[in-house]
Structure formats: C-alpha cells, structure tokens
C-alpha cells in the first residue's frame, strides 16, 4: 500500500476502519476524499481477514473471475458484464481468506457521499439491508484504471481529478445496482467499431471469433453484430473475410508465395477453403487471378 500524502492513511481508515500490518501487506489501496479502490496483490501473502467486521463505507467487490469472496454468501454470477457483490455500510460480514486466484477490485464509497448521490435517483428502490449482487458494465474498469493512475501519478490537481473519478464510479454503480441500462450513443459505438476494425486489420491472419472482436469493442457479443453491421455494412465474419481476400490479392500480385502459403498467411484454414472464398468474392480462382495479372 502506498500513502502519497499525510491524509492518505486517515482517508483509508475513514472508509475501511482500523488498519493492520497484514492488510497493508496484502493489498494495494488507492484513496481519495470519498472513495477508495482496493486491489489484492498478485503474490499470495496468506493474510487472514478479520472475522465478523464492518466498514464505515459501502463496499463493492467488482469480480474479475468467478471466485467467492464472502463467507456465508453464494454469489449469483451475472451473464452480462461484471458481477458485483455489494456490502452496505456498517453491515457485519466475514470475507474469505486472501487467495491467489480470487481477483477483484473492491471499491469503497463514503456512506454520506453514496447516500447523497443515490438520492438523485428518485425512482431507485429502497436501500438493501444485506449483501446483494448485480451486474455492471465492463467499462467501469476503465474508470478504475484512471483512478489508480491519477493516484499513483500524484500530479498537481490530483485530488480534484480523483473526486471526479469517484463521482463517476459512484454513479456507474448506482445505475447498475438499480438496473438502469448504460446507453451508448451512436457516436460512442462508432468509435468502438473503429477499434474493432483496427483489430481485424492487425490480426486478420489469426482465427478470429466474434466474441474476441466484441471484447475489443467493449460491446456485448449479442449486441455487437448488430452495431457492426450498422456501422460497416457487413457482418463481422464477412468483414474479416473481405480483409483476408484483399490481403491475398496483394500477395498474389507479388508472385512470391504459393497459393497454399498465401492461404496460411491470411488466416484461411486450408488452400481449398481459401480458393472457394476467393472465387466467391472475386469470381476468379487464385491461380487465374495471378496469371491474368488482375
């Protein structure tokens, strides 16, 4: 744990409660005036959490894998996005021992700050009185990374920027816990599709799955194909094939590689698969395309 100024430790204790040396060795903690991000260290430290304790702040475990972190609570793993386990402020609970394969980012939010921001949503249901789970968009990790990077840099104005990131984290969690969908504008989705296209152009020679490309764009697989077709006019599979054919044309014109070698270097599973796809796309077999100098 790194305290970047004289206020850091006090801020941590205001959110988490009393600290011990075992905890300091087990985690990295990045803290602002009303928010903190707790990340278990990669190495296995053997730290044993305190049984039956409570935190002054709200605690949100953003799970990065499907490993339980709470004793006596069975997490309901969400199908979309990231699963979050929420522990209301002041609730007595026991966390499982620190394990190497339990990966999460724990976000602490000051109780009064969280209540004030949550009050902006009059349609939100009453406050839960126990541990509960919900799904949050994976984009929250970008805000977490920004928070950590700003804390570690400790540049002038960092407190104000950490406050802004704290606000963003709070509202992402509040909206998610009350099942308020995070809508993406067409412009935002278009930018994500640009990233997906760049990825295809760079790795067209690999075995690309729609799921892999959708992850690059940070769009759910079920929604990705629709958005991709809307923005490019092609399905993801057709776009990949189109890029591969275009690369193959350039290689055929150079005359340096055989048809089989070109098939392998452009991501086709076999020479026959390449020939069939090439003929379908151009109306000409690869060998004829080369011979005619097209």
């Amino acid at each position: 744990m790194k305290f970047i100024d004289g206020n850091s430790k006090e801020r941590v204790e205001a959110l988490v409660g009393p600290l011990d040396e075992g905890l300091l060795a087990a985690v990295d903690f990045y803290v602002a005036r009303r928010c903190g991000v707790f990340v278990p260290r990669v190495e296995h430290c053997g730290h044993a959490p305190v049984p039956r304790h409570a935190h002054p702040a709200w605690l949100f475990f953003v799970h990065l894998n499907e490993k339980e972190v709470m004793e006596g609570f069975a997490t309901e793993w969400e199908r979309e996005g990231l699963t979050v386990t929420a522990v209301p402020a002041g609730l007595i609970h026991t966390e499982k021992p620190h394990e190497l394969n339990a990966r999460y980012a724990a976000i602490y939010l000051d109780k009064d700050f969280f209540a004030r921001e949550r009050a902006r949503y009059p349609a939100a249901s009453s406050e839960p009185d126990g541990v509960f789970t919900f799904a949050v968009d994976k984009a929250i990790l970008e805000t977490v990374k920004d928070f950590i990077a700003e804390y570690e840099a400790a540049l002038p104005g960092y407190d104000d920027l950490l406050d802004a990131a704290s606000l963003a984290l709070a509202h992402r969690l509040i909206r998610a816990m009350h099942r308020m969908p995070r809508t993406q504008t067409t412009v935002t989705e278009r930018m994500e599709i640009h990233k997906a296209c760049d990825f295809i152009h760079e790795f067209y020679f690999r075995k690309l799955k729609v799921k892999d490309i959708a992850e690059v764009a940070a769009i759910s697989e079920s929604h990705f194909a629709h958005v991709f077709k809307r923005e490019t006019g092609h399905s993801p599979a057709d776009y990949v094939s189109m890029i591969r054919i275009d690369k193959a044309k350039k290689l055929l014109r150079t005359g340096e590689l055989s048809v089989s070698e070109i098939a392998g270097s452009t991501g086709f599973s076999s020479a026959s698969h390449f020939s069939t796809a090439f003929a379908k796309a151009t109306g000409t077999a690869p060998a004829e395309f080369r011979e005619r100098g097209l």
Side-chain angles (χ1 to χ4, degrees), residues 234-277:
H234 304 278
S235 69
D238 286 346
Y239 191 89
V240 171
S241 181
M242 183 175 66
I243 298 305
R244 287 173 173 169
I245 294 297
D246 185 59
K247 299 293 183 181
K249 287 179 180 179
K250 294 176 181 177
L251 292 173
L252 286 167
R253 290 185 184 114
T254 66
E256 296 175 359
L257 299 176
S258 68
V259 170
S260 294
E261 289 172 329
I262 292 173
S265 65
T266 52
F268 290 96
S269 58
S270 65
S272 60
H273 178 211
F274 167 53
S275 296
T276 300

Side-chain angles (χ1 to χ4, degrees), residues 24-258:
L24 294 177
V27 305
D28 288 315
F29 204 107
Y30 313 89
V31 64
R33 285 180 276 224
R34 292 179 286 273
C35 174
V37 176
F38 161 112
V39 181
R41 292 186 176 172
V42 174
E43 68 271 18
H44 181 57
C45 65
H47 173 64
V50 178
R52 292 188 56 76
H53 66 284
H55 302 296
W58 274 77
L59 169 57
F60 298 90
F61 290 102
V62 181
H63 296 275
L64 305 180
N65 61 10
E66 294 190 0
K67 299 293 181 181
E68 299 283 1
V69 296
M70 300 285 293
E71 294 283 2
F73 180 78
T75 303
E76 295 183 12
W77 303 106
E78 301 286 346
R79 294 182 180 180
E80 294 286 338
L82 298 170
T83 299
V84 177
T85 299
V87 183
L91 181 72
I92 295 175
H93 64 282
T94 301
E95 295 157 23
K96 288 182 177 290
H98 178 76
E99 295 180 308
L100 182 65
N101 60 350
R103 292 289 159 231
Y104 55 83
I107 300 173
Y108 291 85
L109 293 174
D110 174 80
K111 180 181 178 181
D112 293 338
F113 166 65
F114 183 74
R116 184 178 70 246
E117 298 309 318
R118 191 166 173 271
R120 298 187 183 204
Y121 298 84
S125 59
S126 59
E127 186 173 289
D129 56 6
V131 179
F132 61 99
T133 61
F134 59 91
V136 69
D137 193 285
K138 290 181 180 179
I140 195 172
L141 294 181
E142 294 304 315
T143 309
V144 169
K145 291 175 184 177
D146 289 343
F147 186 99
I148 292 173
E150 191 60 42
Y151 180 89
E152 290 188 327
L155 297 173
Y158 79 92
D159 254 342
D160 291 332
L161 289 173
L162 285 175
D163 284 346
S166 301
L167 191 65
L169 287 172
H171 282 271
R172 283 187 183 278
L173 290 167
I174 292 167
R175 293 171 182 179
M177 68 185 280
H178 293 297
R179 312 294 178 182
M180 298 176 182
R182 178 175 176 264
T183 58
Q184 289 188 313
T185 65
T186 300
V187 173
T188 301
E189 289 180 332
R190 183 169 299 141
M191 293 173 65
E192 298 303 327
I193 295 302
H194 278 303
K195 288 165 57 177
C197 290
D198 289 343
F199 178 78
I200 293 170
H201 278 269
E202 185 174 359
F203 299 107
Y204 63 90
F205 52 87
R206 293 183 180 178
K207 184 177 181 181
L208 297 178
K209 297 180 180 179
V210 173
K211 177 182 177 182
D212 299 328
I213 306 172
E215 286 182 356
V216 171
I219 299 175
S220 68
E221 184 179 357
S222 59
H223 185 52
F224 175 72
H226 168 73
V227 177
F228 193 93
K229 180 68 177 290
R230 185 190 71 204
E231 296 300 326
T232 68
H234 304 278
S235 69
D238 286 346
Y239 191 89
V240 171
S241 181
M242 183 175 66
I243 298 305
R244 287 173 173 169
I245 294 297
D246 185 59
K247 299 293 183 181
K249 287 179 180 179
K250 294 176 181 177
L251 292 173
L252 286 167
R253 290 185 184 114
T254 66
E256 296 175 359
L257 299 176
S258 68

